[in-house]
Structure formats: C-alpha cells, structure tokens
Amino acid sequence: MTGGVGAQQVRDFYLRYFIGRHPPDATLVPLTRTVGESRIVDELLYQFTHTIEMPWMLPGMAPTGRRVEAALVVVVDFQDGKISAERIYWDQASVLAQIGALNAGQLPVTGAEAARKVREPAREPSNGLIPRDGPADARDHHPR
C-alpha cells in the first residue's frame, strides 16, 4: 500500500520514501530473473540491519538495530519502451518477526528462515508451519 499512480505520485514516492531509505549495509542478492516481452520479474534477497527509518517497508517503525533478511519479488512492466509499473512484494510478517514486532512463536509466521528457504530450498524444512498435532483427518489426508 505504498507507491503511487502516475508519474508525479511515483516520483514523489521514490524521492520522499524510497531513495535514500535503505540502511548503509543493505545488500540485494539476485536469485532469478524472468524476462518477457513487456515485463521483467526479479527474485532477490534483501539483507539489512534496521538502523534507519524505512517508510517504504516498515512505515512508522523506529529503527531496532536488528538484522533482517527478506525475499523480494520485483515486477517491472514496460509500455512503449518505458517503465509503466513496478511492484515489490515481500513477506511482511517475516520482516516484522525479525525486528521483534511479531512473535513468530505464537503465530504461523517465520523470520529469516523464509528468505533462506528461497535461496537454498533444502536448507529449511518444508511445511514447518503446518501444525502436526491437528485433527487426525487433516494429518491423514493425502491428495490423489
């Protein structure tokens, strides 16, 4: 729910809330890129220490000094040879858990494990958020 529609709103968003609003140690690790006729989709890891206010990702959250690793998906659309849209998606719950704003132990969310699972799928267990002590019929269900 951040960004803008139209050239002026997008320019304002980038100047006020995005450019210069990345911690000094922020890094982007490219994972995959898919190129289509009018769209590019990038999958990235965004790693940083939360040392500054970041209104584009963590609006209203004071710096915590905590380390964060989040998987991002960036979709850039083109029209007539120009960028017509950009959308950035990430798992907000995992970011909030990493800065201590959510208790991942009490909710079906993870922290940096979500980003690590994207980079190295075998490193983290699959289905870790699915309760193992639920109803027997849910545990025994096998899709055909």
Side-chain angles (χ1 to χ4, degrees):
M1 301 304 292
T2 61
V5 176
Q8 186 57 44
Q9 285 183 12
V10 170
R11 187 176 296 111
D12 184 57
F13 168 76
Y14 273 89
L15 290 174
R16 292 181 63 193
Y17 304 114
F18 193 76
I19 296 173
R21 298 301 190 120
H22 301 271
D25 69 344
T27 59
L28 283 173
V29 179
L31 299 174
T32 67
R33 172 168 278 178
T34 303
V35 179
E37 195 171 305
S38 62
R39 177 173 295 142
I40 294 174
V41 179
D42 282 331
E43 190 174 30
L44 313 154
L45 290 182
Y46 182 54
Q47 303 163 321
F48 63 94
T49 305
H50 186 217
T51 56
I52 65 169
E53 290 186 14
M54 301 173 67
W56 69 275
M57 179 177 261
L58 291 163
M61 303 298 292
T64 62
R66 293 191 179 198
R67 188 78 183 147
V68 175
E69 185 172 1
L72 303 181
V73 175
V74 180
V75 180
V76 181
D77 292 334
F78 297 90
Q79 187 173 18
D80 299 324
K82 296 180 182 179
I83 294 174
S84 60
E86 179 184 42
R87 295 174 299 283
I88 304 173
Y89 300 99
W90 66 90
D91 179 353
Q92 186 72 353
S94 94
V95 172
L96 292 171
Q98 290 175 74
I99 67 164
L102 283 180
N103 183 339
Q106 294 179 338
L107 297 168
V109 301
T110 64
E113 302 92 331
R116 287 193 298 263
K117 182 82 170 154
V118 173
R119 183 193 316 206
E120 301 174 67
R123 180 177 174 176
E124 298 293 331
S126 295
N127 306 317
L129 293 176
I130 299 173
R132 301 291 186 210
D133 58 351
D137 61 336
R139 284 193 313 266
D140 296 335
H141 177 73
H142 299 283
R144 299 187 200 286

